[in-house]
């Protein structure tokens, strides 16, 4: 069933974070839904703003909403890392929750724009994620940007001034693969979570983080773990294998269910880790 981003956190607690997976096409949608149904756990499908502009709000966004509505478990659908106000308003008008990422903006401007978007989302019965602090790599893993660890004061001021439903923070997490082992500032997660109490906190850049660090982060207060790269890698490796057989398969149905299964397998592993089941 389709529920909102805000509602899905009724399933999260100090042992359980909600898995949020970036989807790019039907195979990712099928893979993620099948993982959630197999685990019998709710999860979030996220669509990056650029991907949604390519796939279309009605076509790709509509497919994700339809898949969530049909699912046997509760699921939310949201735009990930949105910054185009007009586009995000169209997504909200269509019924898709959003993340407004103003983390690159000056603090006051991030607050005022996020607040405006939060009001727009709430008027439509939908939810919004905001971000304060800055991660090291953009979510497509290409651009390197300066990393800014979120302070407790910033997190509190930002949350109280914007009316957001979910908060993304920067605590050493980066998008894409980590250079060496991920160094997550678990103490800062705990400090922010203690200061904010009931606000769900998000870890972006959730791929390539070791099991123990994932579990420590959840215990410290993370309630949503974002995963893109680990699924994209599983998809690409499987597609590569299929295309490099002696005889290259050209029937889409020889390819699509197989790559969907590869996505599903990794999503299921992650959901189990986030639910403390492995
Ligand atoms: P990864 O690509 O590192 O998994 O990050 C995903 C993410 O945070 C999307 O917003």
């Amino acid at each position: 069933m389709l529920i909102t981003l805000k509602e899905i956190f009724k399933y999260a607690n100090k042992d359980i974070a909600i898995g949020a997976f970036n989807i790019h096409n039907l195979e990712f949608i099928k893979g993620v839904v099948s993982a959630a149904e197999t685990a019998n756990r709710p999860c979030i499908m996220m669509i990056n703003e650029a991907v949604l502009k390519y796939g279309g709000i009605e076509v790709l966004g509509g497919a994700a909403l339809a898949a969530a509505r049909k699912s046997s478990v509760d699921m939310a659908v949201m735009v990930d890392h949105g910054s185009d106000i007009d586009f995000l308003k169209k997504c909200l008008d269509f019924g898709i929750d959003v993340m407004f990422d103003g983390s690159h903006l000056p603090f006051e401007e991030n607050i005022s724009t996020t607040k405006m978007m939060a009001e727009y989302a709430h008027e439509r019965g939908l939810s919004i994620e905001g971000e304060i602090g800055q991660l090291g790599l953009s979510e497509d893993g290409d651009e390197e940007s300066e990393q800014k660890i979120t302070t407790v004061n910033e997190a509190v001021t930002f949350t109280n001034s914007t009316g957001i439903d979910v908060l993304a923070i920067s605590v050493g997490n980066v998008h894409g693969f980590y250079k060496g082992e991920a160094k997550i500032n678990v103490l800062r997660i705990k400090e922010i979570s203690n200061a904010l109490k009931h606000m769900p906190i998000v870890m972006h850049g959730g791929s390539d983080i070791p099991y123990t660090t994932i579990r420590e982060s959840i215990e410290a207060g993370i309630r949503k773990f974002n995963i893109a790269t680990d699924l994209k890698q599983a998809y690409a490796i499987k597609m590569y294998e299929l295309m490099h057989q002696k005889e290259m398969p050209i029937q889409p149905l020889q390819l699509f269910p197989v790559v969907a299964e590869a996505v599903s397998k990794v999503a299921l592993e992650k959901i189990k880790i986030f639910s403390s089941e492995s």
Side-chain angles (χ1 to χ4, degrees):
M1 212 176 104
L2 177 70
I3 62 171
T4 64
L5 176 65
K6 184 183 167 101
E7 284 175 301
I8 210 158
F9 291 101
K10 68 182 174 202
Y11 294 107
N13 58 41
K14 66 175 180 29
D15 287 323
I16 300 175
I18 308 295
F21 301 99
N22 286 78
I23 61 101
H24 309 268
N25 60 15
L26 189 59
E27 284 60 61
F28 278 88
I29 294 176
K30 284 179 90 73
V32 171
V33 172
S34 134
E37 289 184 335
T38 305
N40 198 22
R41 294 285 318 153
C43 80
I44 302 166
M45 282 187 271
M46 304 189 293
I47 316 174
N48 175 274
E49 184 177 77
V51 173
L52 191 53
K53 282 184 174 174
Y54 169 76
I57 298 175
E58 291 84 357
V59 177
L60 185 58
L65 288 175
R69 282 193 194 103
K70 269 197 72 188
S71 165
S72 63
V73 293
D74 283 346
M75 300 191 81
V77 176
M78 68 181 290
V79 182
D80 191 31
H81 291 288
S83 57
D84 179 339
I85 302 291
D86 290 340
F87 182 75
L88 289 179
K89 285 185 174 174
K90 284 188 190 139
C91 294
L92 287 162
D93 292 342
F94 193 70
I96 305 177
D97 292 314
V98 300
M99 171 194 190
F100 172 71
D101 181 358
S103 58
H104 54 286
L105 298 172
F107 190 58
E108 291 305 329
E109 198 181 335
N110 188 6
I111 287 182
S112 57
T113 318
T114 305
K115 181 170 188 282
M116 185 266 291
M117 289 308 295
E119 282 162 6
Y120 196 90
H122 295 156
E123 279 161 16
R124 283 153 186 78
L126 294 170
S127 335
I128 182 163
E129 175 179 326
E131 176 166 334
I132 189 69
Q134 222 163 295
L135 271 61
L137 278 173
S138 74
E139 74 283 0
D140 58 14
D142 286 343
E143 281 164 55
E144 194 110 19
S145 62
E146 200 196 332
Q147 195 171 22
K148 282 199 209 106
I149 301 293
T150 309
T151 67
V152 178
N153 275 346
E154 274 171 348
V156 172
T157 309
F158 184 74
T159 301
N160 293 341
S161 325
T162 53
I164 49 166
D165 304 293
V166 184
L167 175 71
I169 56 173
S170 168
V171 284
N173 43 328
V174 299
H175 290 116
F177 294 113
Y178 285 80
K179 291 178 184 148
E181 186 152 310
K183 287 198 182 60
I184 303 298
N185 190 334
V186 177
L187 178 63
R188 182 56 54 86
I189 298 172
K190 183 128 202 79
E191 290 167 346
I192 292 176
S193 146
N194 284 344
L196 290 176
K197 301 273 185 299
H198 302 299
M199 173 62 46
I201 300 174
V202 186
M203 176 84 87
H204 279 252
S207 294
D208 195 25
I209 299 186
Y211 174 88
T212 319
T213 314
I214 293 178
R215 291 303 317 162
E216 282 171 3
S217 304
I218 294 170
E219 272 157 42
I222 293 294
R223 295 289 173 266
K224 171 175 180 267
F225 244 96
N226 284 13
I227 302 285
T229 300
D230 282 339
L231 296 194
K232 289 193 276 192
Q233 188 190 38
Y235 179 100
I237 289 174
K238 187 51 78 182
M239 189 59 97
Y240 184 92
E241 276 171 24
L242 291 168
M243 299 311 271
H244 287 77
Q245 295 173 100
K246 260 208 192 104
E247 237 177 274
M248 187 177 81
I250 62 155
Q251 294 298 348
L253 285 181
Q254 290 178 294
L255 305 169
F256 296 168
V258 187
V259 288
E261 177 58 31
V263 168
S264 181
K265 191 165 170 270
V266 178
L268 181 58
E269 281 164 17
K270 299 287 175 187
I271 292 172
K272 285 185 175 167
I273 297 174
F274 301 152
S275 316
S276 163
E277 278 174 24
S278 65

